[in-house]
């Protein structure tokens, strides 16, 4: 069996299958960077979600193109479009890729898809029930943080891959958009604390009432508290404002991904759920307090535990597979407002020094 990668005859084209949301994509950037460094002349195509277009454009130095994956019922990231799958396969097979990489989890559902992409060779992870293939298919490393899983895979395939640093390039336009938002809302970045109360799954959200208490306490101490989120999260922000009794600036839907990253980079602190914005904050070096409800903190916590503090209650049901918790959300309720405020105060005092 031929090795997946041959440095004497490097691949001209590589497909990377990772049809996941923004936070997951940012965790794969170190592996994409290592892949580009190893094969600077290869055409690297990402097979991902339709909303990964901005990711592919922003990380164009690592990704040359995006082919949108229509989705299947086994993957919860988007509504499946099975009728579009035949056309998807026809499109991706025209690439005649030398190598396809499965970077979409353990492979239990994704390996069958990657095997049909038309690449000459494919590699990636296999779950514990399958037999690994040296130099091609690695047993899923369940105990590693997410960025390090994919670096481990590349090393298994013979590609040098050590640097697990996240990154997020901000443009001058991103900075200009962020500056205008600050001006429009009268916000001083030296006093700015961002609260991000949303997350795609309700099981990943800390209660709004507790975010409101945090907003009240920080505001009393003289910090400017602003709310971030998507347009669809505006009702959540409105309820948070009502609960707090404060006219908190609502930036939900007002930011692009780039201007949000620029805001994070300028702000003093982010308080958020364990969701995509946590990885954006880690990538730009913004201090954060992350409340991990349901998720696996070993897998998803930012690497710099001093700059990014994760609060997670030890529960036998973690990591949670439910969209909405069926047992009263004990992992979220175990994290208290005083805990969050203590950590926020510590971060803010450290930033001041």
């Amino acid at each position: 069996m031929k090795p997946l990668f041959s440095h004497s005859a490097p691949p001209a084209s590589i497909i990377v299958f990772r049809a996941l949301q923004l936070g997951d994509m940012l965790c794969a950037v170190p592996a994409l960077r290592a892949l580009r460094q190893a094969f600077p002349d290869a055409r690297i195509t990402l097979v991902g979600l339709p909303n990964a277009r901005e990711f592919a454009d922003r990380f164009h130095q690592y990704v040359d193109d995006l082919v949108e994956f229509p989705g299947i019922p086994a993957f919860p990231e988007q509504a499946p479009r099975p009728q579009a799958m035949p056309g998807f396969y026809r499109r991706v097979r025209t690439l005649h890729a030398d190598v396809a990489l499965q970077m979409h989890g353990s492979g239990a559902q994704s390996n069958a898809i990657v095997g049909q992409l038309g690449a000459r060779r494919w590699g990636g992870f296999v779950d514990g029930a399958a037999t690994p293939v040296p130099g091609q298919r690695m047993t899923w490393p369940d105990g590693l943080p997410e960025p390090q899983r994919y670096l481990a895979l590349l090393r298994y395939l013979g590609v040098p891959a050590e640097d697990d640093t996240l990154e997020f390039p901000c443009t001058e336009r991103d900075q200009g958009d962020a500056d205008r938002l600050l001006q429009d809302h009268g916000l001083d970045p030296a006093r700015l604390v961002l609260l991000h109360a949303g997350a795609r799954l309700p099981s990943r959200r800390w209660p709004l009432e507790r975010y409101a208490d945090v907003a009240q306490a920080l505001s009393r101490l003289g910090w400017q508290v602003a709310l971030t989120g998507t347009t669809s999260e505006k009702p959540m922000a409105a309820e948070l404002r009502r609960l707090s009794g404060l006219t908190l600036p609502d930036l939900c839907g007002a930011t692009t991904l780039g201007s949000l990253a620029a805001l994070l980079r300028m702000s003093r602190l982010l308080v958020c759920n364990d969701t995509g914005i946590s990885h954006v904050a880690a990538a730009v070096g913004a201090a954060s307090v992350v409340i991990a409800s349901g998720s696996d903190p070993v897998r998803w916590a930012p690497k710099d535990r001093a700059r990014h503090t994760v609060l997670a209650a030890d529960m036998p049901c973690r990591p949670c597979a439910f969209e909405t918790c069926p047992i009263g959300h004990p992992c979220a309720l175990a994290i208290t407002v005083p805990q969050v405020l203590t950590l926020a105060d510590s971060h803010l005092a450290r930033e001041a020094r």
Side-chain angles (χ1 to χ4, degrees):
M1 186 174 290
K2 290 184 178 180
L4 196 69
F5 290 112
S6 170
H7 291 274
S8 60
S13 58
I14 301 170
I15 293 171
V16 174
F17 180 72
R18 189 168 177 83
L20 297 171
Q21 301 290 351
L22 172 65
D24 307 84
M25 297 308 303
L26 290 176
C27 287
V29 166
L32 293 172
R33 182 175 61 231
L35 197 62
R36 173 61 75 202
Q37 289 170 348
F39 306 109
D41 299 322
R43 182 166 186 82
I44 299 175
T45 299
L46 172 67
V47 173
L49 298 178
N51 63 14
R53 175 63 60 187
E54 183 176 354
F55 173 88
D57 290 343
R58 190 167 294 272
F59 289 95
H60 59 86
Q61 70 271 43
Y62 307 142
V63 174
D64 296 296
D65 193 16
L66 171 72
V67 174
E68 296 179 6
F69 177 64
I72 61 173
F75 294 161
E77 287 75 21
Q78 62 176 326
R81 293 181 289 127
Q83 72 281 3
M85 288 296 288
F88 159 74
Y89 281 123
R90 286 193 296 271
R91 161 76 177 89
V92 77
R93 286 167 184 164
T94 64
L95 299 175
H96 303 294
D98 294 314
V99 172
L101 289 180
Q102 188 281 99
M103 294 175 61
H104 188 109
S106 69
Q109 303 291 340
S110 48
N111 283 349
I113 295 168
V114 175
Q116 299 180 68
L117 298 181
R120 293 179 177 86
R121 300 178 298 281
W122 73 272
F125 292 113
V126 294
D127 64 19
T131 302
V133 180
Q136 291 197 4
R137 290 159 209 170
M138 175 184 178
T139 300
W140 176 245
D142 200 46
L144 289 178
E146 188 71 359
Q148 294 180 22
R149 294 174 195 257
Y150 301 94
L151 295 176
L153 173 63
L154 291 185
R155 292 194 297 270
Y156 187 85
L157 302 177
V159 177
E162 298 294 340
D163 182 6
D164 62 357
T165 306
L166 299 188
E167 61 179 277
F168 191 99
C170 286
T171 65
E172 290 185 10
R173 180 175 179 178
D174 296 332
Q175 187 63 54
D177 290 343
D179 289 339
R180 281 187 290 275
L181 274 174
L182 292 173
Q183 184 174 9
D184 290 346
H185 291 274
L187 295 171
D188 175 7
R191 297 167 53 213
L192 179 60
V193 176
L194 299 176
L195 296 192
H196 190 97
R200 188 173 63 88
L201 299 179
S203 62
R204 301 300 191 261
R205 299 175 194 157
W206 198 46
L208 284 181
E209 295 85 355
R210 300 192 180 189
Y211 271 109
D213 290 343
V214 169
Q216 289 175 337
L218 292 175
S219 296
R220 284 195 298 268
L221 292 171
W223 301 104
Q224 289 184 321
V225 178
L227 310 179
T228 60
T230 63
T231 300
S232 65
E233 290 168 338
K234 286 189 76 68
M236 193 183 304
E239 177 64 6
L240 200 165
R241 295 176 82 196
R242 185 191 70 79
L243 290 167
S244 72
L246 302 171
T247 55
L248 302 170
D250 177 8
L251 308 182
C252 292
T255 56
T256 63
L257 179 57
S259 63
L260 177 60
L263 275 175
L264 285 165
R265 188 171 61 179
M266 290 187 290
S267 69
R268 294 292 295 274
L269 181 66
L270 167 70
V271 180
C272 67
N273 298 311
D274 186 7
T275 188
I277 194 170
S278 167
H279 302 294
V280 179
V284 299
S288 64
V289 175
V290 181
I291 304 155
S293 304
S295 59
D296 180 358
V298 173
R299 180 175 181 181
W300 297 109
K303 175 184 175 182
D304 186 345
R305 300 299 176 88
R307 196 155 185 77
H308 313 284
T309 308
V310 178
L311 283 167
D314 187 18
M315 295 286 165
C317 50
R318 184 187 292 276
C320 174
F322 289 95
E323 181 172 340
T324 302
C325 177
I327 58 171
H329 220 185
C331 63
L333 296 178
I335 305 303
T336 68
V337 170
Q339 283 179 293
V340 172
L341 288 173
T342 297
L343 291 173
D345 288 343
S346 175
H347 277 291
L348 291 166
R350 187 183 307 132
E351 291 295 304
R353 289 197 297 271

